[in-house]
Amino acid sequence: MVALTTRPAVPPASSPAGAPVRRLPALRHLGPNWYASVMGTAIVATAGAGLPWQPPGMRTALTVVWALSALLLGVLLTARVLHWTHHRDQARAHLLDASMAPFYGCLAMALLAVGGATLVVGSDWIGVRAAVAVDLVLFTAGTVTGVLAAVAVPYLMVTRHRPPLADASPVWLLPVVAPMVSAALGPLLVPHLPAGQLRQTLLYCCYGLFGLSLLGALLMLPLVVGRLLTGGPPALALTPTLFLVLGPLGQSTTAVHQLAEAAQGVVPGPYAGGFATLAVLYGVPVMGFAALWLGLAGALVVRALRRGLGFSLTWWGFTFPVGTCVTGLAGLGSRTGLRLFDLAATGLYALLVAAWLVACAGTARRLVTGRLPAPPA
């Protein structure tokens, strides 16, 4: 627990050495990992909107969840600006920490997730034109941030962090997965752009982002699996991060489906047909591997719970990655017409909502009691 009560209510004008006063002590340990709560909330709205079955009142509930994700994003962006202003030393320490720096990919994915949810469900409240404008801004900012993170974080790992292979973690996937979120959500904007060069440019750029992220994930994933096979299960608190592996699997399946949808009438017929074929030939086997990983990660989480796994912010890892699998399965269901995919998407969505409720309750409870934000153990 962070004992904020030990700090003076009114800090002195300066430290004994004349250093500037640290203000807003509650924000000192607010790291970029907090953006996972925004991602996990926004995906509940986006994934729910893509399900084949829509019970009465569900659309309204999803719009409320989208509004909550937008509010969370605004609050966190403000808090992070204050963090960099008043605790710049700690913010720099996060960048130089091999376990924290990868979470800067979450900033990009939070921007993208809220932007996509705005266009998918938020348009019900604010209108299509406003939703497109908001999504265009957030998509642009999220894509630029995601590409920068995909380059900068591995660069820091090579030149500054140099973590041993024994520390390989699914968290390493976060920076390289961010461009895949752009590849999956960018096609939603294609129909809203002027026909011709702009639509084609966005479509092919998203396809390039798909390749950037996919190859980056394929480089990182063997390190993660090798670490598990040779080093055993991760520490209890890090066990939920195993679900992060589902992110590139589900998001890439979603991306190829959305790219195929957007390609119709935008690129020549043979290319559009190739996009559609790839969506099935790629998506089905990847979702098969996702099912295998879900079983393995789930078994390890049950093992960790039996050994005393308690709540932490890593529990948000149960949300966004599972949500990407929901959207991927829903896309396969609509493309193939197989009810098996629809049933699997619905079942996973129920798991997503349950995980989101638990993560929300645990985070809110610890915020109220002052146990979060907390320094890393």
Side-chain angles (χ1 to χ4, degrees), residues 29 52 149 178:
H29 299 290

Side-chain angles (χ1 to χ4, degrees), residues 8-371:
V10 180
S14 63
S15 67
V21 175
R22 298 192 193 281
R23 299 179 180 177
L24 301 175
L27 298 181
R28 179 159 180 78
H29 299 290
L30 184 76
N33 53 332
W34 278 82
Y35 288 111
S37 62
V38 179
M39 299 158 49
T41 302
I43 197 66
V44 172
T46 306
L51 292 177
W53 299 289
Q54 298 287 320
M58 183 171 179
R59 186 76 180 185
T60 301
L62 296 179
T63 311
V64 171
V65 174
W66 157 75
L68 176 61
S69 71
L71 176 62
L72 287 174
L73 178 62
V75 170
L76 271 177
L77 287 175
T78 303
R80 286 287 295 164
V81 169
L82 293 173
H83 178 264
W84 270 94
T85 301
H86 297 289
H87 302 285
R88 187 163 299 179
D89 63 320
Q90 186 66 23
R92 292 179 182 275
H94 286 161
L95 279 174
L96 299 179
D97 184 352
S99 63
M100 185 61 73
F103 283 100
Y104 273 92
C106 290
L107 167 58
M109 290 187 278
L111 295 168
L112 293 164
V114 173
T118 301
L119 189 56
V120 172
V121 297
S123 56
D124 293 353
W125 283 5
I126 66 175
V128 175
R129 291 187 62 182
V132 170
V134 170
D135 188 22
L136 189 59
V137 171
L138 293 179
F139 173 79
T140 303
T143 300
V144 172
T145 304
V147 172
L148 288 176
V151 175
V153 174
Y155 173 81
L156 287 174
M157 294 177 70
V158 171
T159 60
R160 299 294 297 271
H161 302 158
R162 297 184 182 177
L165 288 178
D167 290 345
S169 162
V171 172
W172 290 8
L173 292 167
L174 291 174
V176 296
V177 170
M180 187 65 78
V181 182
S182 296
L185 295 176
L188 298 177
L189 285 168
V190 170
H192 301 283
L193 296 180
Q197 287 284 321
L198 283 179
R199 289 187 181 181
Q200 292 182 10
T201 299
L202 178 57
L203 185 70
Y204 284 120
C205 283
C206 288
Y207 197 55
L209 291 168
F210 167 84
L212 182 160
S213 181
L214 178 64
L215 295 177
L218 290 177
L219 291 175
M220 294 291 189
L221 191 56
L223 303 178
V224 176
V225 176
R227 157 63 184 83
L228 282 176
L229 295 178
T230 59
L236 290 183
L238 296 179
T239 305
T241 63
L242 293 174
F243 273 65
L244 297 179
V245 175
L246 295 174
L249 305 177
Q251 199 66 274
S252 61
T253 302
T254 303
V256 291
H257 169 69
Q258 295 292 356
L259 287 166
E261 288 288 303
Q264 301 300 320
V266 175
V267 297
Y271 294 151
F275 276 95
T277 302
L278 178 64
V280 177
L281 295 182
Y282 175 88
V284 174
V286 168
M287 282 292 95
F289 180 72
L292 181 151
W293 191 268
L294 180 63
L296 173 62
L300 289 172
V301 167
V302 171
R303 175 183 180 275
L305 287 171
R306 289 178 175 176
R307 284 163 171 76
L309 171 64
F311 178 83
S312 67
L313 285 180
T314 59
W315 283 44
W316 283 101
F318 295 135
T319 56
F320 190 80
V322 173
T324 65
C325 291
V326 173
T327 56
L329 288 168
L332 285 174
S334 66
R335 188 160 297 279
T336 63
L338 293 177
R339 293 180 64 85
L340 172 64
F341 293 123
D342 294 336
L343 291 172
T346 304
L348 268 186
Y349 186 73
L351 177 63
L352 167 63
V353 172
W356 176 71
L357 290 173
V358 172
C360 283
T363 304
R365 185 165 58 249
R366 281 156 180 79
L367 279 171
V368 171
T369 59
R371 298 168 64 184

